[in-house]
């Protein structure tokens, strides 16, 4: 296969660069994905202008539907596809995705079909796509849907294309082929290995080369240099992640689409009314896709990770509990006397309590993973040093690896820290654009005075956070905390290792938002246990497009609701594996159309 993926932002020159990869004498099939809009003369003029600049030896084929592009690629090359962001927009339009919630199987199928077609294309094939983070998309549900789906599409295509090129300001930057998915960081490298002709072409590409100008996501990540004095926090633990390279956004592969389709078909054929299993059926389908097998295995080796740490902001009186209760809670967890540990015993889940940042430690708690002894007060100073934040991220990844190596097939992480909802709410407000008062909750049961102190603390911390909203790790360092960074690394690594996790609580939700920023696509591996009573948690669920499984109104914020979901996962898997089919049991509708639920 000879395929090249050319990506870039709006008006970056990516289209002109892609066109110049073919000689003028080459008979190229130009597959145009822009759909004509009746009465839009300006759009027609733009299409005509770009058609006119192509060599006369080229032929233009207008692609009118999602599957049509995959079919066109099978006809042989040379082929130039411009562009994939517009193609994806059409696919989402056809599926009515902007008004829907939940899975979009027709979109998944179209994307999977395109990736397979590119991998099988005889070539040469050049694909042009907009890169997420290099354009402007509204921070709305539709905008997030488009951004997420485009990022996943680009990552999937980069994985099957031998060469990926990023075009910025008309200059071409070849991305490392050894890790095409992980090459989405903002730190580009010069086109070191381009032949002389290609290098000349990259310099000749102009910013006027974009054909469609389709938005490509929110502005890209920037790594600003902090001018604030960090607190002296260092990684003191003996365990470190063996990945010593820079921490850059790295896309995560989605759960298996083939197994998902098989599970949907299996559920549809069971001996029950259509849709009879409700959310349990959806849960079983999700498990099948995560495990890449249908029917799924019941997850019988769930593991709960409880992180103990102190937050400097707790000294501001933002919690009903004094700061020293973080260590007390950790000791109680190690003794199996917290609600989450009781629920875990009932569900048959293993529990591990780890100190990652307590000021003075705690009895009975693992202490070999301490990143920092306490953190800075985030309304006045950074929570961690840059080195401490990186160490915490790697510690989270290491803990995930250890749990998975021990046999974990589902993970439930949580924080035991007093005051953790304050930095969590700050992070959520920073990433979603919410005002401080919109994210302040009662958490541990605080009174009105404490609520006002918490609101002021979040307001001041949010001012310090704003310069770093495009740099997830800097944001965590500035207004996060040791446990939150570890949680983010843990969730990202679990998704990379294809192990699902259950989210419960606003602290885990905030960490999940940051994990999704640094590991795009990780959210597909997560299940939301319940809607937290904290207002910030609702923003997390909306931002990640997750629908809670239960509504227990549990306010412990220690993973109790997450553990309560585990028996439902087992039931969902067994329902798919052990329920008889309609054909096999004879439980089939008769000739009369029954009302909904008539089989009960």
């Amino acid at each position: 296969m000879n395929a090249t993926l050319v990506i870039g932002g709006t008006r970056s020159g990516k289209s002109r660069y892609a066109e110049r990869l073919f000689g003028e004498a080459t008979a190229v099939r130009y597959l145009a994905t822009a759909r004509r809009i009746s009465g839009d003369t300006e759009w027609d003029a733009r299409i005509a202008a770009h058609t006119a600049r192509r060599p006369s030896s080229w032929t233009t084929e207008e692609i009118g539907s999602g599957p049509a592009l995959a079919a066109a690629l099978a006809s042989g090359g040379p082929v130039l596809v411009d562009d994939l962001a517009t193609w994806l927009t059409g696919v989402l339009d056809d599926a009515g995705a902007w008004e829907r919630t939940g899975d979009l199987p027709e979109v998944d199928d179209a994307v999977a079909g395109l990736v397979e077609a590119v991998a099988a294309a005889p070539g040469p094939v050049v694909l042009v796509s907009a890169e997420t983070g290099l354009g402007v998309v509204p921070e709305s549900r539709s905008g997030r849907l488009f951004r997420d789906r485009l990022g996943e599409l680009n990552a999937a295509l980069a994985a099957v294309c031998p060469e990926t090129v990023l075009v910025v300001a008309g200059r071409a930057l070849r991305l490392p082929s050894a890790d095409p998915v992980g090459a989405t960081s903002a730190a580009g490298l010069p086109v070191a290995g381009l032949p002389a002709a290609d290098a000349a072409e990259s310099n000749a590409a102009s910013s006027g080369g974009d054909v469609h100008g389709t938005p490509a996501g929110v502005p890209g990540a920037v790594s600003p240099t902090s001018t604030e004095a960090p607190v002296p926090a260092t990684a003191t633990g003996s365990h470190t992640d063996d990945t010593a390279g820079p921490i850059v956004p790295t896309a995560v592969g989605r759960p298996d689409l083939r197994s998902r389709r098989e599970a949907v078909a299996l559920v549809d054929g069971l001996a029950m009314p259509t849709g009879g299993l409700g959310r349990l059926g959806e849960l079983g389908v999700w498990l099948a896709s995560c495990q890449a097998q249908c029917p799924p295995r019941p997850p019988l080796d769930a593991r709960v990770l409880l992180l103990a740490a102190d937050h400097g902001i707790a000294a501001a009186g933002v919690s009903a509990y004094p700061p020293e209760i973080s260590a007390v809670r950790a000791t109680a967890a190690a003794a199996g006397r917290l609600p989450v540990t009781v629920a875990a015993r009932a569900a048959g889940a293993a529990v591990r309590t780890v100190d990652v940042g307590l000021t003075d430690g705690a009895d009975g708690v693992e202490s070999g993973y301490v990143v920092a002894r306490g953190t800075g007060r985030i309304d006045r100073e950074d929570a961690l040093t840059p080195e401490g934040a990186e160490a915490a991220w790697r510690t989270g990844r290491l803990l995930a690896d250890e749990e998975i190596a021990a046999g974990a097939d589902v993970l439930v992480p949580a924080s035991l820290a007093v005051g953790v909802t304050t930095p969590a709410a700050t992070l959520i407000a920073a990433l979603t654009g919410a005002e401080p008062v919109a994210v302040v909750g009662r958490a541990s049961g605080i009174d009105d005075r404490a609520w006002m102190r918490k609101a002021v603390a979040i307001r001041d911390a949010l001012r310090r956070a704003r310069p770093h909203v495009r740099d997830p790790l800097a944001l965590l360092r500035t207004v996060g905390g040791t446990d939150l960074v570890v949680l983010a690394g843990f969730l990202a690594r679990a998704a990379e290792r294809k192990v699902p996790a259950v989210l419960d609580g606003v602290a885990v939700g905030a960490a999940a938002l940051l994990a999704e920023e640094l590991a795009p696509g990780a959210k597909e591996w997560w299940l939301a246990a319940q809607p937290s009573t904290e207002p910030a948690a609702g923003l997390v669920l909306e931002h990640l497009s997750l629908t809670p499984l239960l509504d227990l109104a549990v306010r412990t914020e220690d993973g109790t609701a997450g553990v309560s979901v585990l028996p439902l996962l087992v039931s969902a898997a067994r329902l798919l594996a052990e329920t008889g089919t309609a054909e096999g049991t004879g439980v089939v509708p008769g000739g009369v159309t029954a009302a909904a639920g008539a089989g009960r």
Side-chain angles (χ1 to χ4, degrees):
M1 179 189 63
N2 179 16
T4 300
L5 175 64
V6 178
I7 57 177
T10 304
R11 314 301 293 175
S12 63
K14 61 184 182 294
S15 294
R16 187 176 294 276
Y17 171 79
E19 292 171 6
R20 296 175 72 93
L21 292 177
F22 296 105
E24 290 193 7
T26 305
V28 176
R29 296 172 57 221
Y30 185 97
L31 305 185
T33 61
R35 300 186 184 183
R36 295 184 182 273
I37 303 172
S38 178
D40 191 336
T41 56
E42 189 274 338
W43 185 248
D44 289 340
R46 291 184 66 189
I47 293 176
H50 288 283
T51 301
R53 87 176 181 206
R54 298 175 204 132
S56 58
S57 59
W58 290 26
T59 58
T60 299
E61 302 173 25
E62 296 190 4
I63 303 300
S65 68
L69 180 56
L73 288 172
S75 300
V79 173
L80 172 59
V81 179
D82 195 358
D83 75 334
L84 294 175
T86 305
W87 173 82
L88 178 64
T89 300
V91 171
L92 292 169
D93 283 341
D94 292 343
W98 315 114
E99 292 79 31
R100 290 171 55 183
T101 59
D103 292 338
L104 298 169
E106 54 270 70
V107 177
D108 295 338
D109 291 345
V111 170
L114 175 60
V115 174
E116 292 173 2
V118 171
V125 175
V126 175
L127 307 159
V128 178
S129 185
E131 171 59 4
T132 55
L134 296 181
V136 178
V137 161
E139 192 55 37
S140 61
R141 181 188 175 278
S142 296
R144 290 191 293 272
L145 172 65
F146 174 76
R147 177 191 63 196
D148 293 346
R149 287 288 184 163
L150 180 61
E152 293 165 2
L153 173 63
N154 286 346
L157 289 170
V160 299
C161 290
E163 183 172 78
T164 301
V165 177
L166 173 65
V167 179
V168 179
R171 298 299 183 96
L173 311 172
R174 173 177 285 165
L175 302 183
S177 58
D179 185 16
V181 174
T184 57
S185 69
L189 299 175
V191 191
L194 278 177
D198 287 352
E201 288 164 3
S202 73
N203 291 335
S206 75
S207 60
D210 263 350
V211 173
H212 307 306
T214 304
V218 296
V222 179
S223 300
T225 302
S226 173
T227 59
E228 301 143 356
V231 296
T234 57
T236 59
S238 59
H239 300 80
T240 57
D241 189 0
D242 58 0
T243 305
I247 299 172
V248 296
T250 303
V252 172
R254 302 185 67 192
D256 185 62
L257 291 176
R258 187 183 304 276
S259 298
R260 183 195 173 284
R261 288 193 290 266
E262 292 176 359
V264 169
L266 174 61
V267 171
D268 288 344
L270 295 180
M272 62 179 187
T274 300
L277 289 181
R279 290 298 305 279
L280 285 176
E282 296 174 6
L283 198 55
V285 170
W286 177 71
L287 277 175
S289 63
C290 289
Q291 296 176 2
Q293 72 172 56
C294 180
R297 302 181 307 274
L300 300 176
D301 200 347
R303 304 183 73 85
V304 181
L305 178 71
L306 304 178
L307 299 179
D310 280 317
H311 288 269
I313 195 64
V318 296
S319 172
Y321 297 93
E324 57 269 20
I325 295 300
S326 293
V328 175
R329 292 186 77 195
T331 298
R337 300 183 64 185
L338 283 189
V340 63
T341 57
V342 176
R345 283 198 297 275
V351 180
R352 184 180 182 187
T353 307
V354 179
D355 176 7
V356 296
L358 288 172
T359 302
D360 299 312
D363 294 337
V365 178
E366 291 187 47
S367 59
Y369 299 83
V370 176
V371 175
R373 288 299 184 187
T375 65
R377 183 169 159 168
I378 60 172
D379 58 340
R380 302 175 179 175
E381 57 190 347
D382 287 357
L384 294 165
T385 64
E387 296 79 13
E390 290 197 13
W393 173 264
R394 300 187 195 283
T395 296
R397 293 173 61 82
L398 175 63
L399 288 168
D401 282 336
E402 291 181 352
E403 294 303 294
I404 294 168
D409 50 18
V410 63
L411 296 164
V412 184
S415 170
L416 303 176
V418 169
V420 69
T421 60
T422 298
T426 303
L427 290 167
I428 293 167
L431 287 174
T432 63
E435 293 298 322
V437 293
V439 297
V440 183
R442 299 282 177 175
S444 55
I446 56 177
D447 59 19
D448 290 345
R449 289 181 178 272
W451 187 94
M452 287 187 284
R453 289 193 295 269
K454 185 174 181 179
V456 170
I458 292 174
R459 179 201 66 191
D460 294 344
L462 195 54
R463 289 173 179 165
R464 302 183 64 256
R466 293 298 189 195
H468 307 293
V469 293
R470 303 190 196 283
D471 186 336
L473 202 60
L475 189 62
L476 281 165
R477 161 180 58 81
T478 306
V479 295
T482 309
D483 52 346
L484 293 169
V485 186
V486 172
L487 282 170
F490 182 87
L491 289 169
R493 183 58 172 166
E496 290 175 19
R497 296 286 305 274
K498 304 183 185 302
V499 176
V502 181
L503 309 185
D504 177 24
V506 70
V508 175
L513 280 183
L514 275 300
E516 175 66 18
E517 292 290 318
L518 285 163
K523 67 179 183 179
E524 302 290 341
W525 298 89
W526 302 333
L527 173 71
Q530 67 163 8
S532 170
T533 56
E534 288 293 291
L539 296 174
V540 171
L541 297 177
E542 180 183 356
H543 202 79
L544 296 177
S545 300
L546 295 177
T547 302
L549 188 63
L550 302 173
D551 190 356
L552 301 175
V554 174
R555 294 178 49 245
T556 59
E557 293 286 324
D558 62 357
T560 299
V563 172
S564 299
V565 164
L566 297 177
L568 293 180
L569 291 173
V570 175
S571 295
R574 293 191 63 175
L575 281 167
L576 265 65
E578 300 175 26
T579 302
T581 65
E583 183 179 356
T585 61
V587 181
V588 295
V592 179
T593 302
R600 291 177 286 185

